[in-house]
Amino acid sequence: MTALLTEKNGTARRSPAHGSPPSSPRRRPGRERAFDDVPRWQIYLPLGLYLLFTLIPFYWMLLFAVRPASSTSLVPWPMTGAHFSKVWNERSFAVFFQNSMIVGVATLVATTLVALAGGYALARFDFRVKGAFMLALLCSQFIPGALMLVPLFEIFRNLQMINSLGSVVIAETVFQLPLSIILISGFIKNVPVSLEEAAWVDGCSRFTAFRTVVLPLLRPGLIAVGSFAFVHSWNHFLFALMFLSEQDKQTIPVGLNTLIGADSVDLGALAAGGVIAAVPVVIVFAFIQKWLITGFSAGAVKG
C-alpha cells in the first residue's frame, strides 16, 4: 500500500539522502525580469531625450554661426563663413586662440609634472604630516578662485608679472594641483611596489625604476589629469580677465566677452567665436575619452 502511494504514473519518488541540502523551490516564471527583458524603448527614450536636451544648444550656436545675419531660418541653408572670418580677422580671435593654446599647454605640462612628483611622494613615502597634508588638499577644493584674486594680484604685481601669460599659467596650475595630486597618488598606489623593488635589485636607481617601470603604467592617469587641466584653463575666464589687460595677451573666454556690447550683441559673431572655442575641447575629448574614463576611475580606487 505504501509503495502504491509513493508512486505516480509509474515513477517512484526518491526521498532526499540523509544530510543533503533541500532543493530550492522553483521560481515562478515572470516573477523577476532580467535586464535583457526590458523593452528597448524604455532605455532609448530617456537617453534620446537627454541627448536632444544636450545637443539643442550646440545646434542653436552652430545655426547662428553659419546662417546669414538677415536669415531667420531654422535650417542652416544657405551657409556662410562671414561670421568666422569676422571674428578671426577683425576681432583678433587668431591671437586669442594662440594665447589660449599657450596657456592650456603650459598648464597641462606644469600640472602633470608637479602632480606626478607630489602624487609619488604621497603614494610611496610615509611622513608625519601626511594625513594633514591630504586633508589640506581636500579642503582647498572648497575655496573659490574669486577669493584669491586680490592676493594673487598683489603677488604678481610685486613680481612684475601682470599682463603676462605666465601669471595665468601659475594661477591655473596652483588651482589644478590639489585634485591632480590626489588622482595621481591613487593611481600610483594601484601599481605594486614589488615592481619597483625588482628593478632596484637589478641595479636601477629609484628614478630609473620609476621612469622605466611605473611611468608607462600611469598613462591613463596622466592623460586624465592633463586633459582636465587643459580644458579647465582653456575655458577659465576669471584669471585671464583680471591678470591680462592688453588685447594681444587676452584669451578666448575674454575675447568672447568683448563681443557682447552694452546696447547690442552680434549673435552671429558670438556664435562663431563659441564654435571656435569649443572645437579644441571636442577634439581633445574625442581622442582621449577611453583614457579619461580609465584614469579617473583608477585614480579614485585608492587614496
Side-chain angles (χ1 to χ4, degrees), residues 59-231:
Y59 176 78
W60 200 252
M61 179 177 65
L62 185 62
L63 176 66
F64 275 92
V66 300
R67 189 179 67 180
S70 58
S71 176
T72 58
S73 174
L74 296 179
V75 179
W77 191 263
M79 293 188 297
T80 179
H83 300 307
F84 290 96
S85 177
K86 179 179 180 179
V87 298
W88 190 262
N89 298 319
E90 300 179 13
R91 296 301 184 96
S92 303
F93 259 67
V95 178
F96 299 157
F97 188 91
Q98 180 180 355
N99 294 335
S100 292
M101 190 63 66
I102 293 174
V103 171
V105 174
T107 303
L108 183 155
V109 174
T111 302
T112 304
L113 292 178
V114 179
L116 188 61
Y120 184 84
L122 290 177
R124 291 291 190 256
F125 298 102
D126 292 325
F127 46 93
R128 183 173 300 177
V129 295
K130 181 177 180 179
F133 183 75
M134 289 290 294
L135 181 61
L137 289 179
L138 292 174
C139 292
S140 65
Q141 297 300 296
F142 298 100
I143 302 176
L147 294 180
M148 304 300 295
L149 284 179
V150 175
L152 287 175
F153 187 87
E154 288 296 323
I155 292 174
F156 292 141
R157 185 175 65 85
N158 294 330
L159 295 176
Q160 298 182 356
M161 295 184 65
I162 295 296
N163 200 37
S164 171
L165 294 179
S167 61
V168 181
V169 172
I170 294 175
E172 294 289 351
T173 302
V174 168
F175 278 86
Q176 292 298 314
L177 276 178
L179 180 61
S180 302
I181 291 176
I182 293 173
L183 289 174
I184 292 295
S185 174
F187 203 85
I188 293 177
K189 287 181 179 180
N190 291 331
V191 179
V193 69
S194 59
L195 297 178
E196 290 184 85
E197 293 174 348
W200 299 342
V201 172
D202 292 338
C204 295
S205 62
R206 180 179 290 273
F207 177 77
T208 304
F210 172 78
R211 179 175 56 85
T212 58
V213 177
V214 180
L215 190 60
L217 301 177
L218 301 180
R219 183 181 303 173
L222 295 178
I223 292 177
V225 169
S227 61
F228 189 76
F230 175 84
V231 172

Side-chain angles (χ1 to χ4, degrees), residues 13 26 30 51 75 85 152 169 240 247 258 276 290:
R13 296 180 181 175
R26 298 180 60 185
L51 183 63
V75 179
S85 177
L152 287 175
V169 172
Q247 185 176 2
T258 61
I276 294 174
K290 180 182 69 174

